[in-house]
Amino acid sequence: CFIGKEGSKMEVKRIVHGDIKAYFKVLTDSLLSDYNAAMQAEYTSDVLKSGLTYQKKLRNSFGNEGTVSVSIDRFEENHYAASFKSAQGINQLSYDLEPLDNQQFEVTYKEDFFSESKSKSLNYSIMSKLYKRSSKKKMNLMLDAIEKMIQE
């Protein structure tokens, strides 16, 4: 799913003890909530499928609001990938859940950034290297929160 040119990838893998279906349901519920907020409506999870696109408004770190095009690149059992296209470029993320046995599974979370502008790609690459530790920590905190939700 990831675009190969001028990208800067970050990846976190971990073993989770718990129910793989419950974990994917948390991801599904989060995506549906985001979609419903963007559409200002109440849809059911039936709308979530590969190829779904929508627009949402986001604020950047400077407080400026912009529109982002969201595309669900892959949505099938235990696999979810999305792209977020803005004026800066394309941010991609994916979750892949692989069962190991009845009690545990592996989660692979990836983020990537691609821009047609070499300077934006280079800037992102440099900044992601500088903040790699912080970014991985944030990814792990997010995965910790999801894992905690399925174990409650």
Side-chain angles (χ1 to χ4, degrees), residues 22-37:
Y23 198 100
F24 195 71
K25 183 171 182 342
V26 170
L27 298 177
T28 299
D29 291 348
S30 176
L31 174 57
L32 182 62
S33 176
D34 187 64
Y35 181 72
N36 284 338

Side-chain angles (χ1 to χ4, degrees), residues 96-148:
D96 290 300
L97 314 180
E98 294 297 331
L100 300 174
D101 60 32
N102 290 338
Q103 306 294 319
Q104 58 188 7
F105 55 96
E106 182 178 64
V107 176
T108 303
Y109 175 77
K110 295 179 190 173
E111 285 185 10
D112 198 6
F113 176 79
F114 167 78
S115 178
E116 293 294 335
S117 165
K118 286 202 183 265
S119 64
K120 288 179 183 173
S121 287
L122 181 61
N123 183 53
Y124 183 85
S125 181
I126 291 168
M127 295 307 287
S128 67
K129 283 179 179 65
L130 289 173
Y131 292 104
K132 183 175 185 173
R133 191 170 174 188
S134 172
S135 295
K136 286 226 179 203
K137 186 176 181 179
K138 286 179 185 175
M139 287 179 186
N140 277 306
L141 287 172
M142 177 188 60
L143 295 176
D144 288 345
I146 297 170
E147 189 171 348
K148 187 175 180 182

Side-chain angles (χ1 to χ4, degrees), residues 67 71 76 84 86 91 112 122-123 149:
T67 301
S71 175
E76 55 194 54
F84 301 82
S86 69
N91 286 297
D112 198 6
L122 181 61
N123 183 53
M149 292 170 93

Side-chain angles (χ1 to χ4, degrees), residues 1-9 73 82-85 89-93 111-116 121:
C1 278
F2 287 102
I3 296 171
K5 297 189 288 181
E6 302 298 326
S8 179
K9 291 185 183 181
D73 302 322
S83 299
F84 301 82
K85 185 176 183 181
I90 301 171
N91 286 297
Q92 297 176 308
L93 63 83
E111 285 185 10
D112 198 6
F113 176 79
F114 167 78
S115 178
E116 293 294 335
S121 287

Side-chain angles (χ1 to χ4, degrees), residues 9-64:
K9 291 185 183 181
M10 303 260 318
E11 179 178 310
V12 174
K13 285 186 178 205
R14 66 163 51 175
I15 304 295
V16 176
H17 299 278
D19 183 4
I20 193 169
K21 288 183 184 200
Y23 198 100
F24 195 71
K25 183 171 182 342
V26 170
L27 298 177
T28 299
D29 291 348
S30 176
L31 174 57
L32 182 62
S33 176
D34 187 64
Y35 181 72
N36 284 338
M39 302 304 289
Q40 298 180 343
E42 288 297 319
Y43 291 94
T44 64
S45 60
D46 297 339
V47 300
L48 303 177
K49 54 186 85 171
S50 299
L52 177 69
T53 60
Y54 60 98
Q55 305 282 316
K56 67 186 266 180
K57 292 185 193 269
L58 289 178
R59 288 197 184 281
N60 66 17
S61 55
F62 302 110
N64 299 325

Side-chain angles (χ1 to χ4, degrees), residues 63-82:
N64 299 325
E65 190 173 272
T67 301
V68 175
S69 297
V70 180
S71 175
I72 307 307
D73 302 322
R74 183 176 182 197
F75 191 81
E76 55 194 54
E77 185 177 3
N78 300 332
H79 304 283
Y80 161 51

